[in-house]
Amino acid sequence: MSAGETPRRRTPPRWVRELLGWVVGAAIAIAVVAAVASSPRSELVFRDGDSMVTTLVVHSLAIGQPQDWAMSSVLFLPEIAALWLLSLLGLGVDGTLALAGAVNVLALYGALRVAAGSAARARAPISGALLALAAFGLLAASEWSPSRDALELASLLVTTTYYSATVVAVVVAVGLARRALDRAGASRGTRQWAVASVGLGLVAAASVLTNPLFAAWATVPLSIVLAVVGVRRRRAWWLAGALVAGSVAGFVARLPLAHLIANTGAGYVDPTQWAASLEYYGALLAERWAAPWGAASLLAVTLLWAWSLVATVLLARRAKVGAAVVAACGWVLPLVVTLGAIALGTHAARYLQPTVFAPLLGLVVLPSLLPARIPAATASAATLALVVALGLGIPPLIAASTAPDRDLDCVVQWAEGSGRVGGGQFWTVRLPKTHLSDPRGLVQLDHQLRGYAWLVNRDDFAVGGVSFLVTDAQSPAFELPAGVTMTDAATIDCGRYTIHDFGDRTLPIGPLRS
């Protein structure tokens, strides 16, 4: 080496850098779930009636119960499969749900890593993916409301019910489109481009099969972006075609599963209610602005959206088409989804999740626009982040997932000890039902004792009747058969729950409704 020559800094092998990225991503995932699980938002993770559906399916499969489910338009197939695998670790209901939340966030890192491009064609893709994941973590940690209807959308990824697989699939679809376009001009890239295109179609088919929202979140807006690119790059039309064809195949694949779908979702759409929808989402926005850290998180998302728009222009000028598509999705997806949700007259905050996760794509492409190579200190910063995230995340996560619930334990122990079958209304009985060793011990009823076939196995109702009822403060008064009143039952106080035991008397279950 000559006197004036600078020593060359050795960089770790690519596989080491990728592994470090996944390890840091896992640490961030643990920290995110710990933050959510330690806040009032934990209600959605561990106790919400909707959030119990995947666990109930896993328990039903484990006991060999006949499968006859009444699901919504979402089938939760990937979420159920992942939760079943995690349940084999024997961590209990809450421990498994906490681990599933961390897996969801780690899966988002994997999707962001796909969107960041290959190491051979993109600058510092691991750093871009980790930067986006860290920003997501900060947004999720700022959300503290226990309400499922709050405009707190990042933390929904931590649950197994609010479309976590669809969020990940949308980002993967954007990433596959980017990689196909990155390889379109490369020598000997035709085969890789074809694989990415086929992969895009398969992701679309599988995603629509389990959740038709994928078509609104990805198929429509991403096809618009690809159509614009297709003006100069005809191969983009093939990508859009693969995306649309896969989505159509997904809808066709849902037909044999129609008996599982108790609500197709058509009732949630009413374009004549667009004004009411606008007012509804506006009120949610105002509530979020007034919440602790709400204004800061909304400003952050707005800045990310604006940056995605700027990055699209800059990358397009530099002819970095694949990265420009990723950046464009960062602002096109929120725009299309929000306008579509209002135009269709919807009233559900969860439908707007792309407004939070899509702008993160602007951070994914940030390294491509930096004037110089990211310093080697990135590895040191990542290691520091790993230590901090694990140190701050693991203890509160363990505490949150193992916290005792004496009221719940009281109901579960009494119900199992009775050897009989009881019932309760949806928001009351879902949690105790999930924690029973055999979930058939508690049947889901409405206030008229009709079987409430919603997000539950219809086989539960084969028992025909119940001999005790579980109520809490939010249970509407039951309408019992003639000659029977609640005063005929012995009451067992279980804190926030009350068990009304009718002893040897059986209350018949009425016709099913959903």
Side-chain angles (χ1 to χ4, degrees), residues 87-320:
S87 70
L88 300 179
L89 298 176
L91 300 177
V93 173
D94 289 351
T96 303
L97 289 172
L99 182 58
V103 169
N104 289 346
V105 179
L106 184 59
L108 178 61
Y109 167 73
L112 292 168
R113 178 62 191 87
V114 174
S118 68
R121 295 182 175 87
R123 177 184 294 172
I126 300 172
S127 298
L130 287 175
L131 179 62
L133 188 71
F136 166 82
L138 292 175
L139 292 174
S142 73
E143 299 175 352
W144 298 344
S145 170
S147 172
R148 73 188 65 82
D149 297 319
L151 200 64
E152 300 186 359
L153 306 176
S155 54
L156 294 182
L157 184 71
V158 175
T159 73
T160 62
T161 313
Y162 292 110
Y163 318 149
S164 57
T166 307
V167 171
V168 172
V170 170
V171 180
V172 168
V174 173
L176 290 174
R178 182 224 173 117
R179 295 205 173 204
L181 291 168
D182 280 348
R183 291 164 177 158
S187 60
R188 296 186 299 176
T190 303
R191 181 178 177 182
Q192 293 175 322
W193 181 89
V195 169
S197 301
V198 172
L200 182 59
L202 291 176
V203 167
S207 299
V208 170
L209 170 63
T210 188
N211 187 358
L213 267 181
F214 179 88
W217 286 6
T219 306
V220 173
L222 181 53
S223 294
I224 292 173
V225 174
L226 292 173
V228 173
V229 175
V231 173
R232 294 198 173 183
R233 300 232 177 166
R234 293 185 177 180
R235 280 190 168 185
W237 287 105
W238 289 98
L239 290 174
L243 184 62
V244 172
S247 299
V248 171
F251 280 112
V252 172
R254 289 173 62 85
L255 296 178
L257 303 176
H259 64 287
L260 299 176
I261 302 172
N263 187 339
T264 62
Y268 300 144
V269 175
D270 185 359
T272 63
Q273 294 294 312
W274 69 267
S277 178
L278 178 61
E279 182 180 358
Y280 173 79
Y281 290 123
L284 291 184
L285 187 63
E287 290 177 7
R288 180 59 183 148
W289 181 269
W293 293 103
S297 66
L298 290 175
L299 289 173
V301 171
T302 302
L303 289 174
L304 288 174
W305 184 89
W307 163 246
S308 297
L309 180 58
V310 172
T312 303
V313 175
L314 295 176
L315 291 165
R317 287 177 177 175
R318 299 184 187 187
K320 295 183 177 181

Side-chain angles (χ1 to χ4, degrees), residues 368-380:
S368 300
L369 293 167
L370 295 178
R373 186 177 180 83
I374 290 182
T378 301
S380 301

